Amino acid sequence: MAVAPSTPSVNAVAGPLAAADVDLVLVPWFEDDQPSSLDGLDDAVGGEVSRALESREFQAKSYEQFFAPVSQRIWRARRVGLIGGGPRASAGTDLIRKLAVAGGLAARQRRAARVAFVARGSGSPVELAQAAIEGLTLSEFYGGSYKTTDPAPAPPPAWTIVTLDGTAERSIHEAITRGRVLGECSNLARELANEPGNTLTPREFAARSAAIASEGGIRVEILDERQIDQLGMGLLLGVARGSNEAPRLIVFRHDPPGAPGAPTLGLIGKGITFDTGGISIKPADGMERMKDDMAGGAAVACAMRAIGRLGAPIRVVGVVPATENMPGGRAVKPGDILKSAEGKTVEVINTDAEGRLILGDGLWYARKLGATHLVDVATLTGACVVALGKITSGLFGAPPSWVEQVRRVADRAGDRSWPMPLFDEYRDQLKSEIADFTNTGGRPGGSITAAMFLKEFTGGLPWTHMDIAGTAWADEAKPYMPKGPTGVAVRTLASLAFETFDV
Ligand code: BES
Ligand code: MN
Ligand code: ZN
């Protein structure tokens, strides 16, 4: 990635550690490390590292922490914190990113104002530095913005990334800018997904997304109900009918001067600002979670910002259909037939299968804007959560080489995903007596039939669909991820714009 303006709040220093002028030095520490693994560290803390390792007070198990004050005068730092990383063999960039989140959270709890993180592990210094600042930046997310009684959280520390070998300073600085931007954009997506339905209406979502992306140098256009109608988007309008809030279609364009004619990456995100299920209403239990049903749309908006900021070399278009799914008096009813902008007709069997409807029109519009390669991201099905759980997004699409490229990029970005099948026979489950197809295919393979529905709107272009229903929101706190919105897919989508496409 070519890199534009640098971010002032992050420094980089190439060892020695003694020179880092900070309150706290965080060090990933692996089970097979020796006290002497990091030059001067054990001496700086008066032998506390070797003592803790010998007594097994600290065993370097994953995310275990050990803090000690610096006693040696030639060190400028005041404290050292070891973050356990388990066996070193698994210390790739994904683990370093997570250790940096855990370390960052611990540092903030201790109210450290200046914090250094030693980018060590297996991988190139550039990759490690990027992953480290991504993780530290992710630790800055605060999800309690509506609390009036808690004290405000301490401002995020000034971060310093320490690299221990002599990689060219320039490439480290670029990596740090990249990681910083990707981390910040992930946090912006988390803020959007965390926002409740009563503040983040489709109009507000559109306005905030527009501000987020245009600050990154992206052109944004917001289409209102009338313009959506003129485009013939009967699926988006059909879902919006049940709500008093007007829908919006948010369109992003990254058109760098000198970009090649092809490819154009098309990013499409589900933007349901609240999903009640509509007339096929959801049970009350847990319905509040459906405020994050625009997490895919937020990922697209925030990835576009990163794409602009970091100066991706190719054209990218982003399309986010935004609406509520509500059971109003004019709402779409089971059995109703909607006509998509593409011309295909859909018999709505279940109004709670609304995401695929709005994405159908969104995919069509991305093609109309000239996209040659499509990636959509959506909190689409509970069935995907049943299949893959909470840590892996479902990947669907065609051809396999494009899906595999997206998977590889996602993996490097720290977004776990796994391919799911799309055999033609699944299409039979969407057969309708009266229209071209239905919007649901019954319980078997529910995430697959949802993807089969989307496929109808891809015009045969290379297309990957990411079902993030399980991964967009963390139900349980982990050392590397608090409860709440995760920002999944932002870094994947942004990184894709720097790839040479295999297809
Ligand atoms: N937004 C939901 C999917 C979802 C479920 C996301 C759980 C996150 C957690 C989607 O619109 C939906 O309601 N899907 C239905 C489809 C069904 C009616 C065919 C589902 O998964 O139950
Ligand atoms: Mn739904
Ligand atoms: Zn939904």
Side-chain angles (χ1 to χ4, degrees), residues 22-27 48 57-58 63-70 78-84 101-116 139 152-159:
V22 293
D23 301 317
L24 174 64
V25 178
L26 294 168
V27 185
E48 270 293 290
E57 174 186 342
F58 177 70
Y63 305 106
E64 196 188 342
Q65 298 178 359
F66 177 75
F67 287 83
V70 171
R78 294 177 35 215
R79 276 180 295 172
V80 166
L82 306 186
I83 312 293
V101 178
L105 290 171
R108 299 194 58 198
Q109 226 162 37
R110 282 153 204 270
R111 296 289 191 271
R114 299 165 308 154
V115 178
S139 80
W159 307 112

Side-chain angles (χ1 to χ4, degrees), residues 150-423:
D150 279 23
W159 307 112
T160 299
I161 300 295
V162 182
T163 50
L164 294 173
D165 79 6
T167 305
E169 206 180 304
R170 203 191 126 101
S171 60
I172 295 288
H173 271 282
E174 287 179 353
I176 288 175
T177 301
R178 220 156 42 221
R180 181 69 180 164
V181 169
L182 291 171
E184 283 174 347
C185 291
S186 304
N187 286 345
L188 286 169
R190 295 164 84 184
E191 276 171 30
L192 286 173
N194 202 36
E195 203 64 28
N198 65 335
T199 60
L200 202 78
T201 60
R203 279 175 298 154
E204 182 65 16
F205 181 33
R208 291 204 205 176
S209 299
I212 284 171
S214 49
E215 281 164 15
I218 298 291
R219 260 195 314 153
V220 188
E221 208 183 332
I222 299 173
L223 308 193
D224 65 14
E225 238 172 335
R226 202 178 42 82
Q227 293 165 299
I228 295 168
D229 187 43
Q230 272 164 3
L231 287 166
M233 296 192 165
L235 301 184
L236 174 54
L237 286 179
V239 174
R241 282 179 66 86
S243 170
N244 289 343
E245 291 289 341
R248 289 289 183 266
L249 185 73
I250 319 165
V251 183
F252 307 92
R253 283 191 186 78
H254 174 69
D255 225 335
T264 297
L265 177 63
L267 307 178
I268 302 92
K270 174 175 173 180
I272 296 289
T273 59
F274 195 85
D275 182 11
T276 67
I279 295 298
S280 316
I281 198 161
K282 288 180 182 296
D285 219 23
M287 203 207 272
E288 71 283 353
R289 262 287 323 284
M290 286 299 123
K291 70 174 184 176
D292 82 335
D293 212 18
M294 33 54 69
V300 168
C302 298
M304 291 301 306
R305 176 189 175 100
I307 284 167
R309 274 274 164 93
L310 299 174
I314 60 166
R315 286 206 186 106
V316 185
V317 299
V319 176
V320 177
T323 176
E324 291 186 329
N325 185 24
M326 295 283 285
R330 289 158 49 80
V332 66
K333 303 171 289 298
D336 285 1
I337 293 171
L338 301 176
K339 186 164 188 176
S340 66
E342 160 138 13
K344 294 177 176 172
T345 54
V346 180
E347 181 186 4
V348 176
I349 301 295
N350 189 319
T351 66
D352 199 8
E354 84 296 341
R356 63 197 76 179
L357 293 173
I358 68 168
L359 288 170
D361 280 340
L363 285 161
W364 170 83
Y365 197 59
R367 279 156 55 205
K368 193 172 137 84
L369 296 179
T372 58
H373 293 70
L374 302 170
V375 180
D376 79 74
V377 185
T379 46
L380 204 63
T381 65
C384 189
V385 192
V386 174
L388 295 172
K390 297 281 301 169
I391 55 168
T392 312
S393 302
L395 269 198
F396 307 76
S401 54
W402 175 236
V403 180
E404 176 54 21
Q405 184 166 19
V406 175
R407 195 200 62 76
R408 247 185 296 123
V409 170
D411 207 53
R412 267 188 269 128
D415 292 324
R416 286 304 193 17
S417 66
W418 205 254
M420 301 278 282
L422 275 191
F423 301 118

